[in-house]
Amino acid sequence: MKVIRSSREMYELSARWKKTAQVISLVPTMGCLHEGHLSLIRHAREVSDKIIVSLFVNPIQFGQNEDFDSYPDQFERDSGLIEAEGSDALFYPPPEEMYTENFQTSVKVKTLSQGMCGIDRPDHFGGVATVVTKLFNITSPDIAVFGKKDFQQLIIIKRLVKDLSYNIEIIGAPIVREKDGLAMSSRNVYLDSAGRKCALCLYQAIQASKKISHSRDELSAEQIIEETKKIVTQAGGQLEYAVVVNEFTLVPDNFVNNNSVLALAVKIGDSVRLIDNSKLRS
Ligand code: PAF
């Protein structure tokens, strides 16, 4: 596997692969990899000839009081895992390669970035959209694979691809969970044992909500949100938001239907913030 640090070298490699009509997939990551990321690489392997994994902890998607400075750096471990999954290239740019001095352009996907995680993280999705646009330009993939755990991010990237006329297919790969249901996340490493127990409330709220959704024909979103609040609060978590929204548009549903997704963000203890989501009737 080639480890590439410069954009120029990355363009050139991708262009060489394109000349022989090879299908290229990109799997963007910020490192600190877990089984969820590895599943994205496996998805990419199934649909492409060449895989590029990017590893870049993107400073502009972190808010001021967030964990950019403490975000785990595990390059040796991560690159070993990426290579073992059969990636052909690892794009690992230094920050100055991505954000040159006096960088001043940003990509914003307006309305979709405002609700849900965008309420407490107002600049987050602008940072994601900007770096993903750059990664698309540098790697020129035919396909890009993102995890469904970052549900709002996935919908925003799909919109960005349409709006900016990229010829890239976006694949959303299923959430990978621990045995007890906790969605895999790089931030799970911050949980102590009490926090780990409490963190299960996200999955418990999802399971309870799915059960009610299947058992009743007419069910208001409000009932699901109340149930979620109750489960999270009883477990000792702080509910940041719980919404029932359309799986394609993120528009809130008043009543649960076949396209409704429950998405939630919960603060565990003082500093760990976890998200999860699921379709309610599936
Ligand atoms: O999902 C992530 O890990 C990041 O938001 C991404 C897509 C790699 C952009 O930095």
Side-chain angles (χ1 to χ4, degrees):
M1 177 181 76
K2 273 185 186 308
V3 177
I4 297 177
R5 305 221 68 192
S6 90
S7 309
R8 170 66 38 206
E9 207 187 318
M10 191 67 253
Y11 294 133
E12 286 171 1
L13 181 61
S14 182
R16 271 209 302 284
W17 285 340
K18 291 242 146 139
K19 271 193 188 144
T20 51
Q22 307 207 62
V23 175
I24 302 173
S25 279
L26 170 69
V27 180
T29 81
M30 298 205 300
C32 193
L33 301 187
H34 49 69
E35 195 52 37
H37 294 107
L38 303 183
S39 80
L40 304 183
I41 305 176
R42 284 176 211 135
H43 269 268
R45 172 57 68 214
E46 278 169 27
V47 291
S48 51
D49 304 306
K50 295 289 182 192
I51 302 175
I52 302 167
V53 176
S54 64
L55 194 173
F56 179 64
V57 184
N58 176 33
I60 67 166
Q61 71 184 70
F62 289 79
Q64 274 195 340
N65 299 318
E66 294 181 13
D67 55 344
F68 176 68
D69 291 329
S70 56
Y71 203 82
D73 174 359
Q74 311 180 337
F75 178 75
E76 292 306 322
R77 172 186 169 275
D78 288 343
S79 59
L81 290 171
I82 292 167
E83 184 160 26
E85 285 302 334
S87 175
D88 299 280
L90 169 56
F91 180 54
Y92 176 52
E96 62 277 14
E97 181 72 14
M98 295 299 274
Y99 300 114
T100 49
E101 212 187 333
N102 210 17
F103 185 91
Q104 44 188 297
T105 303
S106 67
V107 179
K108 209 172 238 168
V109 180
K110 290 185 217 158
T111 315
L112 291 173
S113 301
Q114 284 166 4
M116 299 164 66
C117 292
I119 295 171
D120 275 23
R121 308 183 77 194
D123 298 323
H124 173 66
F125 290 115
V128 170
T130 303
V131 81
V132 168
T133 300
K134 286 175 68 69
L135 291 169
F136 285 170
N137 292 336
I138 294 167
T139 61
S140 308
D142 302 289
I143 296 168
V145 189
F146 293 83
K148 282 189 178 169
K149 188 178 79 70
D150 295 308
F151 166 56
Q152 188 175 9
Q153 170 173 283
L154 178 63
I155 302 300
I156 287 172
I157 303 292
K158 285 185 173 170
R159 187 73 253 164
L160 179 155
V161 162
K162 274 205 185 109
D163 290 355
L164 299 184
S165 311
Y166 279 111
N167 186 16
I168 300 175
E169 181 191 345
I170 302 298
I171 295 183
I175 297 175
V176 178
R177 297 184 180 279
E178 302 283 357
K179 275 206 181 81
D180 61 6
L182 178 67
M184 294 212 181
S185 160
S186 301
R187 292 188 167 98
N188 291 351
V189 298
Y190 299 143
L191 296 168
D192 59 16
S193 68
R196 176 66 181 74
K197 244 191 203 157
C198 173
L200 259 192
C201 67
L202 287 93
Y203 186 61
Q204 284 161 350
I206 284 175
Q207 291 296 85
S209 300
K210 283 178 80 156
K211 200 165 161 197
I212 324 174
S213 301
H214 280 113
S215 67
R216 292 192 214 161
D217 284 342
E218 190 168 295
L219 178 66
S220 72
E222 210 38 56
Q223 284 171 281
I224 294 289
I225 292 165
E226 279 311 312
E227 180 70 11
T228 298
K229 253 186 214 155
K230 194 176 85 194
I231 291 173
V232 169
T233 311
Q234 271 172 5
Q238 244 178 284
L239 187 66
E240 200 174 273
Y241 71 78
V243 290
V244 175
V245 293
N246 178 278
E247 64 173 321
F248 305 112
T249 62
L250 304 186
V251 172
D253 285 327
N254 291 329
F255 289 90
V256 173
N257 61 64
N258 290 343
N259 299 120
S260 296
V261 168
L262 167 66
L264 69 161
V266 175
K267 242 181 146 184
I268 313 283
D270 284 341
S271 55
V272 188
R273 180 182 175 281
L274 300 178
I275 56 173
D276 203 343
N277 70 85
S278 173
K279 270 190 84 165
L280 286 168
R281 286 187 180 147
S282 61

